[in-house]
Amino acid sequence: MIALLSASTPIFIGVVFLLGLLVGSFLNVVIHRVPVMLDRSWRHEALALDGKTPPEEPPYNLIRPRSACPGCKAPITALQNIPVVSWLALKGRCAGCRNPISARYPLVELFTALLSAVVAWKFGFTWTTGAALVLTWFLVALAFIDIDTQLLPDNMTLPLLWLGLLLALCLPAEGGRLPVDLRSSVIGAIAGYLSLWSVYQLFKLLTGKEGMGYGDFKLLAALGAWLGWQMLLPIILCAAGVGAVVGIASIVLGQRGRGVPMAFGPYLAAAGWLMLIVGPSLLDSYLSLYHY
């Protein structure tokens, strides 16, 4: 099987696409449950600080309880949980109560699969593909959590940061591919955090308002650890540019009022993924302009 995957690029991309569908199904669980888990944890901590005993609650994590229809609470069976296919077969409705099931679930699965296939096409049958897939899946989950809640949970951004540093420490640098060298990774993590932290502090000093959350600092630090300090400026410029265009457009179209906070994490995640795929080539093209 390994020989077949290494010898046939189309088959390898197809297998990674199917894997991406399965991971996308799990990411739907992560996107929905992690904020609820955080809220429960914060409530328990608040009660403990107040000297009160948190109430006994049934387990709630990424595994338990089983996924169920939010309307009739009927458990979702394995056949009803096949990525994309089950949603299409059920015509987007619960098998029991026939309440609509959001189209976002299959879209996240398909989106994850497509990004995974692009990673497999770009890097081929190498260890780089495995690392790039992990980064891709983290970014998908973080982007959608931020869209829903304007939160970038520490229990996801910090492991992503440490994984990037660990990758640079344990594996040799690939030269334009993952992992980057340890020096670039460490500087990227530090510079990524401090750059947005400095912007936050300056904005707060000038306006008295908070322009972004600390989760954005940690996400950019993680991207710096994975991609190196050389990718930080392209990531920031791309994220800020697209975010500004989308923000202005949503105000003009009346979809969002002035002064209403907008999640910046999805733009950082999208820019980081783009730099993962095309960043080294763009950087080489730019530097070649100065070679005579």
Side-chain angles (χ1 to χ4, degrees):
M1 182 64 179
I2 293 178
L4 178 62
L5 293 176
S6 63
S8 175
T9 298
I11 292 177
F12 177 59
I13 293 173
V15 169
V16 171
F17 179 86
L18 294 176
L19 176 63
L21 287 175
L22 295 174
V23 173
S25 180
F26 174 71
L27 292 185
N28 275 320
V29 177
V30 173
I31 292 163
H32 175 74
R33 295 194 181 192
V34 165
V36 178
M37 291 160 57
L38 285 175
D39 180 71
R40 176 181 286 196
S41 175
W42 292 335
R43 285 189 287 105
H44 285 190
E45 289 176 5
L47 289 172
L49 289 173
D50 201 29
K52 300 177 181 178
T53 302
E56 289 289 335
E57 294 180 295
Y60 190 90
N61 50 48
L62 297 180
I63 300 175
R64 300 175 61 189
R66 284 181 56 187
S67 297
C69 171
C72 65
K73 309 301 180 184
I76 297 175
T77 66
L79 287 177
Q80 295 167 357
N81 206 27
I82 301 173
V84 180
V85 174
S86 292
W87 189 87
L88 293 173
L90 293 169
K91 298 180 179 179
R93 295 185 177 276
C94 171
C97 64
R98 306 306 297 167
N99 278 340
I101 301 172
S102 173
R104 199 177 86 167
Y105 294 114
L107 289 176
V108 168
E109 294 164 352
L110 190 59
F111 182 61
T112 305
L114 289 172
L115 295 186
S116 300
V118 171
V119 167
W121 165 79
K122 174 67 178 179
F123 299 112
F125 189 75
T126 63
W127 288 109
T128 300
T129 294
L133 286 174
V134 171
L135 176 58
T136 298
W137 298 335
F138 263 91
L139 292 178
V140 170
L142 285 166
F144 279 98
I145 289 174
D146 202 18
I147 289 171
D148 289 344
T149 65
Q150 294 194 355
L151 292 173
L152 289 170
D154 284 354
N155 59 4
M156 295 184 67
T157 55
L158 295 183
L160 184 62
L161 168 62
W162 291 115
L163 278 174
L165 293 172
L166 186 64
L167 198 67
L169 176 65
C170 296
L171 296 178
E174 291 287 338
R177 294 152 58 107
L178 296 181
V180 298
D181 63 274
L182 182 59
R183 184 173 182 271
S184 294
S185 180
V186 172
I187 294 175
I190 296 171
Y193 186 91
L194 290 180
S195 58
L196 288 188
W197 179 86
S198 300
V199 172
Y200 166 89
Q201 295 296 342
L202 181 60
F203 184 84
K204 187 175 181 181
L205 180 64
L206 295 175
T207 67
K209 300 178 181 179
E210 297 183 352
M212 63 181 68
Y214 277 64
D216 296 319
F217 316 160
K218 297 165 189 173
L219 177 55
L220 188 58
L223 290 172
W226 277 80
L227 304 177
W229 64 268
Q230 299 89 341
M231 291 295 108
L232 290 178
L233 183 58
I235 289 172
I236 292 174
L237 291 176
C238 182
V242 175
V245 170
V246 173
I248 293 171
S250 63
I251 291 174
V252 171
L253 296 174
Q255 297 177 347
R256 188 175 62 88
R258 294 179 181 273
V260 176
M262 183 178 71
F264 188 51
Y267 302 103
L268 282 176
W273 188 82
L274 284 174
M275 291 306 111
L276 165 70
I277 301 299
V278 302
S281 300
L282 288 178
L283 186 62
D284 290 342
S285 299
Y286 174 75
L287 293 177
S288 67
L289 297 175
Y290 299 92
H291 291 167
Y292 296 97

